[in-house]
Amino acid sequence: MRAVLQRVSNAEVTVNQDIVGKIGNGLLILLGIEHEDAVSDIDYLVKKISQMRIFSDSHGKMNCSLMDVGGQCLVVSQFTLYASTKKGNRPSFIAAARPEVAIPLYERFVKELEVVTDNKVETGVFGAEMQINLVNQGPVTIIIDSKEK
């Protein structure tokens, strides 16, 4: 499972010109799910994301976690995080999980993140064509792969 974390001052995702998820200060999380992923990958990522110290303290140092600052989360499914570009110019997405595997894991990830952060998690719409608007704060962008523990 891969997550791209973007520290944002605000972010929103729209589908068919309707805002379906919107947050203020917090993290936009692009989540890619591989066909071999399991609940243990969710547990690892949720713990890592909620405790990662990537928010500024009163001295401007990245010393605070999402939970320390009471930040919000917007989670958007992103199968393209598993693109393989080894051959040719058209990416292959063979490593990305099929919807019947990915959707339950995605939904569980969102629920676990809500439990751990004690905060509602906003989402996009799985499999939909989405537009994301964000203000990346810093900019801070971190990539976490659960297979690289």
Side-chain angles (χ1 to χ4, degrees):
M1 199 170 280
R2 284 189 187 136
V4 175
L5 314 179
Q6 293 185 300
R7 188 179 74 180
V8 299
S9 45
N10 62 71
E12 66 181 28
V13 60
T14 59
V15 176
N16 296 324
Q17 300 170 331
D18 293 324
I19 297 172
V20 297
K22 182 176 183 175
I23 63 168
N25 185 54
L27 293 174
L28 168 63
I29 302 168
L30 305 175
L31 185 68
I33 300 170
E34 185 179 32
H35 55 82
E36 295 177 3
D37 286 333
V39 173
S40 60
D41 295 288
I42 293 169
D43 295 342
Y44 172 79
L45 281 183
V46 166
K47 182 177 179 184
K48 194 71 148 168
I49 289 168
S50 64
Q51 295 179 3
M52 186 164 288
R53 298 183 338 196
I54 58 174
F55 291 88
S56 298
D57 64 15
S58 60
H59 302 291
K61 301 281 185 193
M62 282 200 286
N63 206 23
C64 295
S65 71
L66 178 71
M67 296 177 61
D68 294 333
V69 300
Q72 299 176 293
C73 292
L74 171 59
V75 179
V76 176
S77 62
Q78 183 93 35
F79 76 93
T80 59
L81 291 178
Y82 279 100
S84 173
T85 58
K86 290 181 182 178
K87 293 185 191 175
N89 294 320
R90 174 180 269 173
S92 168
F93 303 106
I94 196 84
R98 307 248 340 124
E100 57 271 14
V101 171
I103 291 172
L105 290 172
Y106 171 80
E107 290 173 349
R108 183 161 181 164
F109 175 86
V110 169
K111 286 180 183 167
E112 291 294 324
L113 194 56
E114 285 180 334
V115 168
V116 168
T117 63
D118 195 29
N119 204 348
K120 181 178 181 339
V121 172
E122 295 287 318
T123 64
V125 176
F126 192 96
E129 179 74 25
M130 296 176 270
Q131 291 74 45
I132 301 171
N133 292 308
L134 67 126
V135 176
N136 191 324
Q137 193 180 61
V140 173
T141 303
I142 308 284
I143 301 169
I144 305 173
D145 192 315
S146 64
K147 302 299 189 265
E148 296 177 3
K149 298 176 193 174

